[in-house]
Amino acid sequence: MAEAKRDYYEVLGVDKNADEATIKKAYRNLAKKYHPDMNPGDAEAEKKFKEASEAYAVLSDPEKKRQYDQFGHAAFENGAPGGGFDFNSMDFSDIFGDLFGDFFGGRSRRSSNGPMKGANIRTSVRIKFEEAVFGVDKEIELTLKDPCPTCHGSGAKPGTSKETCGKCGGKGQIVYTQQSLFGMIRNVQTCPDCNGSGQVVKEKCPDCHGSGYTSSRKKIQVSIPAGIDNGQSVRIRDKGEPGVNGGPRGDLLVEVIVSSHPIFQRQDRNIYSTAPISFAQAALGGDVMIDTVDGKVIYEVKPGTQTDTKVRLKGKGVPSLRNKDSRGDHYVMLVVQTPTHLNGEAKELLKKLDELTGNSLHAAEAYSDKSPDEKKKKGLFK
C-alpha cells in the first residue's frame, strides 16, 4: 500500500494564506538543509528534499496552488479534474541558481563587476594589564597595499588599457548548466579569467606586474580604549585591502592581547587580588596598604579579621567601554600571615597571649596526658 502524502503546506511549514515570498523562503531553507549534495548517502534527507520540492512545485504556481486548494493531491492524479501536471517540467532555476551558489562558492546572479569593498586585514598588538584598564595609544607597523603610482591601479602598462574579457564578454560572470534531480539547472559563476571585473590586462604594468597595487610597510596609530578586554578588537576604518572596481577600502581589525599581571586578575569589569596582613594587624585592626591599579590605597582592617576575609574597594575596577567614568570594583582577599620563624622570646609572648585570651596551648597539652575517662568528663569525647 502506497504511503499517504503529507499536506504540502505542512511539508513546507507555512500557512494556507502564505504569500509567494513566504513559500519560496520556506522551501529554500528546507532545500539547503536536505539537498543530497549536503547530505551524501542520506536516504532520509533525499526523501525530505524531494517531498519539499514537490510541495514547492505546486504551491509556487498560482494555478496549481488553486487546483490543490480545491481538490488536494487528487488534482494531480491521472484523470483528475485538475488535469494533473508533469513534475519534471517544473523550472527550479530561480531557487537552485542561488542554492548551488551557496553550496559551491559561486556568486548569485547579481552583477559581480560593480564596486566592491576591499577585504579586512587582521593583526594583533600586545599591551599591559594597566594599559587595558586605562587605555593607551600604540603604533603598529604592517604591510599595506596602495594603488600602483605607475598605472594608477589599472594594472596595465602605461600607454595601454584593459580590454574586455573574452570569456565572459565583459559581464564578469559566466552561465553554466548542472544536472540535478529535476533536470538541468542554470547557474551563474564569477568569471575565472577576469575575477568578475569584466576586463583583463594584456600588457601588464612593469612595476606592479598587472596587479594594480604596490605594497609597503606603514606605521599605523591605534587608539585602544579604556576597559578593553583580552581578545577584543579595535576597528580602524579604511586601512584594509583596497576596494575592487572603485569600491572602498576594507578595515583594519587589531586584536588586543593583554599580558597577565603578577598581582591582579580580571573578570568582566572587576579586579581581584590578595593582600597579606600580619597576625597583629588581623587581631588588633589598623591601617594596611593595598595595591590597586590606581596605586596604593589605605584600608582600615577591623579588629579580629580572619584570614580569607574579602573586602571591596568600590570603583577601583575596570572602566566601561561605553563610559570610562563608570568603573567596576576591586575585591581583595585578606590573608593573615602566620609567623614561621620565632625566637624564644617571641614564642613565650605567643604562649602568654594564648593564656590571656583563653586559648592556651598548655591546656591542650594537659588534656593529652589525661585518661580517656577524664577526657570524656572534660567533654573531649562523646
Side-chain angles (χ1 to χ4, degrees), residues 133 267-271 293-294 312-320 323-331:
V133 173
Q267 184 175 338
D268 296 328
R269 293 200 295 134
N270 295 326
I271 295 175
V293 291
D294 295 304
R312 175 190 179 196
L313 304 179
K314 188 175 181 180
K316 293 295 183 181
V318 180
S320 166
N323 179 10
K324 65 180 182 180
D325 293 327
S326 174
R327 296 178 61 176
D329 301 323
H330 185 162
Y331 292 92

Side-chain angles (χ1 to χ4, degrees), residues 64-345:
K64 293 179 176 61
K65 182 176 184 297
R66 184 191 64 78
Q67 294 175 19
Y68 178 72
D69 289 343
Q70 184 175 1
F71 300 107
H73 291 296
F76 309 109
E77 296 174 357
N78 292 333
F85 74 100
D86 181 7
F87 182 70
N88 292 323
S89 68
M90 292 297 297
D91 180 13
F92 288 85
S93 60
D94 184 43
I95 288 289
F96 286 99
D98 291 337
L99 285 182
F100 281 99
D102 290 340
F103 295 156
F104 305 114
R107 295 181 180 272
S108 67
R109 285 175 286 179
R110 294 174 300 191
S111 174
S112 63
N113 59 355
M116 291 186 292
K117 184 177 180 179
N120 293 334
I121 297 176
R122 295 181 179 272
T123 188
S124 62
V125 62
R126 182 176 291 275
I127 63 175
K128 297 178 182 179
F129 186 93
E130 291 87 351
E131 291 175 335
V133 173
F134 298 111
V136 66
D137 290 333
K138 289 287 185 179
E139 183 179 79
I140 61 174
E141 187 175 353
L142 70 163
T143 301
L144 293 177
K145 290 182 179 178
D146 285 306
C148 174
T150 303
C151 65
H152 304 291
S154 70
K157 180 180 178 181
T160 68
S161 60
K162 291 184 176 181
E163 300 179 11
T164 301
C165 176
K167 189 175 187 68
C168 65
K171 297 179 179 179
Q173 300 172 327
I174 56 174
V175 179
Y176 66 96
T177 56
Q178 186 170 11
Q179 182 67 41
S180 76
L181 294 172
F182 305 101
M184 299 301 293
I185 299 299
R186 181 177 177 271
N187 204 0
V188 180
Q189 187 181 53
T190 300
C191 176
D193 287 9
C194 65
N195 295 319
S197 68
Q199 295 179 311
V200 293
V201 177
K202 293 296 184 181
E203 296 187 60
K204 297 180 179 179
C205 171
D207 291 340
C208 67
H209 307 289
S211 68
Y213 306 106
T214 57
S215 299
S216 61
R217 297 290 291 178
K218 291 188 176 182
K219 294 181 179 180
I220 305 293
Q221 295 294 325
V222 183
S223 181
I224 299 173
I228 198 164
D229 206 350
N230 184 59
Q232 292 182 319
S233 295
V234 176
R235 182 184 294 270
I236 304 177
R237 302 286 181 182
D238 303 325
K239 292 297 182 181
E241 294 284 349
V244 179
N245 299 327
R249 295 187 75 110
D251 300 330
L252 173 62
L253 302 177
V254 183
E255 181 184 7
V256 176
I257 302 173
V258 182
S259 298
S260 59
H261 195 278
I263 299 176
F264 307 129
Q265 290 184 331
R266 174 180 175 176
Q267 184 175 338
D268 296 328
R269 293 200 295 134
N270 295 326
I271 295 175
Y272 297 84
S273 67
T274 60
I277 60 174
S278 70
F279 183 82
Q281 287 173 322
L284 303 176
D287 293 339
V288 296
M289 300 293 290
I290 295 178
D291 289 314
T292 73
V293 291
D294 295 304
K296 293 183 180 296
V297 298
I298 298 176
Y299 179 80
E300 184 178 356
V301 175
K302 296 179 181 179
T305 294
Q306 302 298 306
T307 192
D308 292 341
T309 296
K310 182 186 288 186
V311 300
R312 175 190 179 196
L313 304 179
K314 188 175 181 180
K316 293 295 183 181
V318 180
S320 166
L321 278 172
R322 293 187 176 89
N323 179 10
K324 65 180 182 180
D325 293 327
S326 174
R327 296 178 61 176
D329 301 323
H330 185 162
Y331 292 92
V332 184
M333 190 79 74
L334 300 179
V335 179
V336 179
Q337 301 294 294
T338 303
T340 56
H341 301 289
L342 299 174
N343 57 27
E345 183 181 1

Side-chain angles (χ1 to χ4, degrees), residues 43-59:
E44 184 63 24
E46 182 177 351
K47 177 182 176 182
K48 291 183 178 180
F49 175 72
K50 290 181 178 179
E51 182 182 47
S53 298
E54 180 178 332
Y56 176 71
V58 172
L59 300 183

